[in-house]
Amino acid sequence: MHRLDRETSGIVIFAKNIESKVQLQDHWKATEKKYLAVVHGQCAKTSGTITTYLAENRAHIVYSTSDRTQGKLSTTGYRVRRQTKDFALLELDLVTGRKHQIRVHLAGIGHAVVGDQKYGKRDRGHTRLALHASSISFKHPFLGQQLTFESPVPAYFNQLVGKIDLAP
């Protein structure tokens, strides 16, 4: 139904039949997707929105551009949930869903995702990508009821930023 980067952990949904697939695709913009990421550094702002145009070069590297003719408008909301001396745990709202959007946006504001070998800094001590699809919420394609699925925080995140409690 949708995709995650190979190294990203968490929830993926699949349609069981073509009718469900079409219904889910038709309402995909209304689907709420939340992610968690552990990033390098301490964030100066406790929340914000990152909006850029994303484009991809011939080497399949995605990058931000201010040229709307080159890229597609992309928006990521974030909120700091915890900070340590070296890292910050961010909760991310994916407003649009472009290839490598979260990774490029966070690297662009100076807070690359821990373990991101493509867009982050080389760090031999942290080679696993600290990006997790934590929840997805959508209306059932036929019954209309709101469904929400959550995935527990990976133990790796607790190793990076300590015990995580995501209660509001």
Side-chain angles (χ1 to χ4, degrees):
M1 180 64 227
H2 66 113
R3 60 178 164 51
L4 293 178
D5 295 344
R6 183 179 335 176
E7 305 88 0
T8 302
S9 61
I11 296 175
V12 177
I13 59 172
F14 295 90
K16 291 174 78 172
N17 55 53
I18 194 69
E19 294 84 11
S20 296
K21 176 184 179 286
V22 170
Q23 284 290 329
L24 289 167
Q25 285 176 322
D26 288 348
H27 298 94
W28 192 246
K29 287 188 180 195
T31 300
E32 188 176 311
K33 301 159 285 283
K34 291 197 181 290
Y35 290 76
L36 293 174
V38 178
V39 299
H40 289 279
Q42 292 185 342
C43 298
K45 293 172 47 179
T46 59
S47 65
T49 302
I50 306 163
T51 301
T52 66
Y53 293 91
L54 293 181
E56 186 173 2
N57 66 21
R58 289 184 181 165
H60 305 290
I61 304 294
V62 178
Y63 62 94
S64 287
T65 178
S66 57
D67 185 349
R68 67 179 64 198
T69 64
Q70 285 186 344
K72 294 181 179 179
L73 187 63
S74 305
T75 303
T76 305
Y78 72 91
R79 182 169 67 134
V80 176
R81 295 303 302 253
R82 171 176 281 206
Q83 295 209 99
T84 68
K85 183 173 81 69
D86 299 316
F87 304 118
L89 172 69
L90 304 182
E91 183 177 77
L92 302 144
D93 291 313
L94 207 52
V95 179
T96 55
R98 311 277 183 233
K99 178 180 179 179
H100 297 176
Q101 175 180 322
I102 292 171
R103 296 164 63 187
V104 173
H105 275 172
L106 293 176
I109 64 167
H111 296 290
V113 176
V114 171
D116 191 342
Q117 302 298 313
K118 190 167 191 170
Y119 301 103
K121 58 184 180 179
R122 300 279 178 202
D123 181 356
R124 294 184 194 273
H126 302 98
T127 56
R128 181 174 171 201
L129 186 67
L131 181 58
H132 180 70
S134 60
S135 72
I136 192 161
S137 184
F138 59 94
K139 284 195 176 183
H140 188 281
F142 301 109
L143 302 177
Q145 70 190 77
Q146 192 70 23
L147 301 174
T148 300
F149 299 94
E150 296 181 348
S151 177
V153 178
Y156 177 55
F157 283 37
N158 292 315
Q159 294 168 4
L160 294 170
V161 296
K163 177 110 173 82
I164 298 169
D165 178 15
L166 295 176

